Amino acid sequence: MKVASAAYPLDWHDNWLSFEEKIEAWVAGAAEAGADLLVFPEYAAMELSSLAGFDIASDPIESLIAVSEVMPESIALLQRFATRYEVHISAPTGPVERLDGKLVNRAHLLAPSGSKGYQDKLIPTPSERRGLNISAGEQTAVFETSIGKIGILICYDCEFPLIARGMIEAGAEILLVPSCTEAVAGFWRVRVGAMARALEGQCVVAHAPLVGRADWCNAAERATGSAAIYCPSDHGFSETGILDEGPLGLAGWALADVELSDIALVRRNGHVLNMEHWGEQHSPLNRIHTVALSDGVALDALASSMG
């Protein structure tokens, strides 16, 4: 299969048709390049706030509410495109109001068959908690699809290895990381996390960042990053752990061919076996000792105490 990760900018839309034409052009472009799985960034749905006008779009809380009200329509639109272009789409994430009234940051995974599922961000960042009133998701999903088993780690979530580990243990072969980071440092935190998850889980990780400026959108007025697809540095994969990546800050698709059999091979017979050896971290033989190296403490005594 071919995986496509988007470095995607927010645009102002005066009407729904403007948004529809933009998002279809992106889907069609990836499909024409042969992509089977398309990944859009975190908070890319915030461009829908422009439909409510400048005053609402520029207000961090009101813009989230406005987008949450039209998220069902945008997901229905992307579902039609998934069917029309015969692709799987990890849709732009955005705010969704739960039945309890709390807002979550939700990613939908849409299949060409018309079926769909979702993953809410499990660990909101401090700025999401303080400035946007985003609540934590409550469930972790692994999606069984015709192109493989897929998990979604929304931005900050990919910096927590046990979340990904749970998905890997549930069978995930591909992890998707939609992200939105303002600074280069933030982008690199997510990138390093995503690459580490590919290493630990011996899997493919598709990273799709928001890019560019949208001064009218207080919730995501500037973002940086580069789209990429990461892999284990092992049999059948890139020695650098990068299958493809785009230029920093520039919109476009990163594209890579992925064979599930290559993932199975490195998990079964790689140069290293991170998945198989994961549990050895918790062995009683590896209990951590706190040892004070202070004046007057003999090294042989320390060695004896650690033995």
Side-chain angles (χ1 to χ4, degrees):
M1 95 186 96
K2 182 166 285 189
V3 179
S5 290
Y8 182 89
L10 297 184
D11 288 317
W12 180 272
H13 299 288
D14 289 319
N15 53 61
W16 181 265
L17 180 60
S18 172
F19 167 72
E20 183 173 337
E21 290 177 344
K22 176 190 176 180
I23 200 74
E24 183 172 16
W26 275 78
V27 173
E32 289 169 5
D36 303 289
L37 172 61
L38 285 58
V39 189
F40 285 96
E42 179 185 35
Y43 286 123
M46 289 308 298
E47 64 185 344
L48 291 167
S49 65
S50 60
L51 299 173
F54 180 81
D55 289 344
I56 289 178
S58 59
D59 183 284
I61 300 300
E62 292 298 324
S63 63
L64 291 175
I65 295 171
V67 173
S68 72
E69 292 173 351
V70 296
M71 279 290 284
E73 294 176 69
S74 71
I75 296 305
L77 175 67
L78 281 157
Q79 181 66 77
R80 293 198 295 274
F81 293 154
T83 301
R84 180 181 304 171
Y85 292 97
E86 299 183 333
V87 294
H88 288 75
I89 299 176
S90 180
T93 90
V96 171
E97 186 175 359
R98 296 190 312 210
L99 293 178
D100 61 7
K102 294 181 178 180
L103 286 176
V104 291
N105 179 4
R106 179 166 294 177
H108 291 82
L109 185 62
L110 313 172
S113 64
S115 60
K116 63 183 179 181
Y118 69 85
Q119 175 67 61
D120 293 338
K121 191 171 188 174
L122 297 170
I123 306 180
T125 63
S127 60
E128 284 179 300
R129 298 168 195 241
R130 291 192 303 262
L132 302 178
N133 293 332
I134 295 292
S135 296
E138 297 178 342
Q139 293 183 330
T140 305
V142 169
F143 305 95
E144 294 189 12
T145 76
S146 61
I147 57 173
K149 294 183 179 180
I150 298 171
I152 303 176
L153 299 162
I154 303 177
C155 200
Y156 193 40
D157 285 351
C158 89
E159 298 179 34
F160 295 88
L162 295 185
I163 299 175
R165 179 64 187 180
M167 293 177 176
I168 295 298
E169 290 179 342
E173 299 156 298
I174 301 170
L175 299 177
L176 312 181
V177 180
S179 72
C180 173
T181 51
E182 179 177 352
V184 172
F187 161 69
W188 272 94
R189 285 195 298 271
V190 177
R191 175 180 172 128
V192 169
M195 294 189 76
R197 305 298 80 85
L199 167 72
E200 298 161 354
Q202 295 182 287
C203 63
V204 168
V205 179
H207 182 190
L210 202 67
V211 296
R213 294 183 64 94
D215 293 330
W216 47 270
C217 182
N218 191 281
E221 59 187 346
R222 59 181 60 84
T224 192
S226 61
I229 297 105
Y230 310 122
C231 62
S233 303
D234 213 321
H235 299 305
F237 290 108
S238 164
E239 292 182 344
T240 65
I242 302 171
L243 292 175
D244 191 34
E245 64 179 330
L248 184 68
L250 294 184
W253 290 106
L255 296 153
D257 291 313
V258 174
E259 294 286 347
L260 296 184
S261 59
D262 289 339
I263 297 172
L265 174 63
V266 297
R267 288 177 170 181
R268 182 179 66 252
N269 193 31
H271 292 296
V272 289
L273 299 170
N274 301 79
M275 281 188 61
E276 180 179 332
H277 298 151
W278 179 272
E280 295 180 22
Q281 300 175 90
H282 308 297
S283 167
L285 297 176
N286 293 330
R287 290 196 185 114
I288 296 175
H289 299 265
T290 300
V291 179
L293 294 178
S294 57
D295 292 343
V297 178
L299 291 179
D300 59 348
L302 283 173
S304 175
S305 69
M306 293 177 68

